[in-house]
Amino acid sequence: MGDNLDFQLFHNLLYEASRTAFLDIQRTHENETFYFFALNIEPLFGYIFPFSNTEETLTSMAENFLVPGYHPNLSLAEAREIVRWGTIDAPLHHEGMTFFEKVNKFLEPVTEILMEFPHDPWDEFEAFHSRLVGVCIDVLKQLDAEGIFGAGDRRNAILVNIFVGDVTDEQWLKYARELNLDVVYERVATHLEFVRNLEMRL
């Protein structure tokens, strides 16, 4: 199962789509301060889309988070940190999706392939799924090496990562470590701990 999937073609399609999308998003929002670039991946690879965020759109997300009035003791600054890595109400969430049509067309049979692997044990499923995730990570590393996400201090102010469904904190940090310099990883790990402590007050 899955022996006929062309992983090199997947890499090539994802690279072209991601490069075009992330550059286009940055051009469209050239006066904003980006802090996050990611690939948003459906758990069974039903789709992949780009995800980006800026400090300016983060404020809008935080304001929407506070509107229902469920957290009257939470400041706007604290709300910004709680929603910083989320996708809900993210204004840029759907930008760049059109560039991924070929990628998602390619992925159409993948969910069925994954579901056909034996579930006891999960070894074959996990090996195939990990290989797909590996392609996504390799593409982001390639783009990073080309300076698509900036260089120097600008790059160090940005997190590059992937979502694979509702990842755990451990998975999130594992991907963050693999895709970023230590200075970025340490900042994100510290921030995540701060946010989890903040959420305990809610």
Side-chain angles (χ1 to χ4, degrees):
M1 286 175 285
D3 293 342
N4 295 325
L5 192 74
D6 190 336
F7 280 89
Q8 186 59 54
L9 177 57
F10 176 39
H11 179 281
N12 295 344
L13 290 172
L14 185 60
Y15 168 79
E16 291 297 334
S18 300
R19 189 178 192 280
T20 304
F22 287 127
L23 286 174
D24 184 73
I25 291 166
Q26 290 178 74
R27 280 192 296 266
T28 302
H29 299 272
E30 61 182 352
N31 295 320
E32 297 180 38
T33 304
F34 284 89
Y35 69 87
F36 190 27
F37 294 106
L39 290 176
N40 190 4
I41 306 164
E42 195 274 332
L44 294 179
F45 278 81
Y47 61 76
I48 301 177
F49 291 121
F51 179 78
S52 310
N53 217 344
T54 70
E55 294 290 346
E56 291 77 10
T57 56
L58 178 62
T59 297
S60 173
M61 292 168 62
E63 289 170 344
N64 288 339
F65 181 77
L66 293 173
V67 162
Y70 299 140
H71 311 297
N73 298 321
L74 200 66
S75 69
L76 179 62
E78 290 171 326
R80 275 170 51 90
E81 301 317 311
I82 286 177
V83 303
R84 180 169 289 275
W85 309 118
T87 59
I88 297 175
D89 291 325
L92 276 62
H93 191 188
H94 299 294
E95 293 199 21
M97 290 174 60
T98 57
F99 298 111
F100 278 67
E101 290 179 358
K102 289 182 180 179
V103 171
N104 291 320
K105 181 69 175 177
F106 173 86
L107 289 174
E108 285 181 357
V110 170
T111 297
E112 185 174 348
I113 291 172
L114 285 165
M115 294 302 294
E116 288 177 351
F117 284 116
H119 296 176
D120 187 17
W122 288 86
D123 296 8
E124 291 181 79
F125 174 97
E126 290 175 353
F128 190 79
H129 192 272
S130 294
R131 193 174 177 189
L132 291 166
V133 170
V135 171
C136 298
I137 289 173
D138 287 345
V139 164
L140 289 177
K141 286 182 176 179
Q142 184 176 350
L143 295 176
D144 198 11
E146 294 173 7
I148 300 300
F149 307 121
D153 290 343
R154 178 171 177 264
R155 171 61 181 89
N156 290 341
I158 289 170
L159 173 68
V160 175
N161 214 347
I162 62 173
F163 294 100
V164 187
D166 295 325
V167 295
T168 64
D169 287 352
E170 290 75 17
Q171 289 171 316
W172 170 261
L173 291 175
K174 174 180 177 292
Y175 298 140
R177 184 185 287 278
E178 191 166 356
L179 286 163
N180 300 271
L181 293 176
D182 288 346
V183 64
V184 178
Y185 169 80
E186 294 298 339
R187 186 180 71 248
V188 171
T190 299
H191 179 270
L192 188 58
E193 183 179 3
F194 165 77
V195 168
R196 293 299 178 244
N197 289 332
L198 185 59
E199 288 174 338
M200 292 175 66
R201 291 171 33 196
L202 300 182

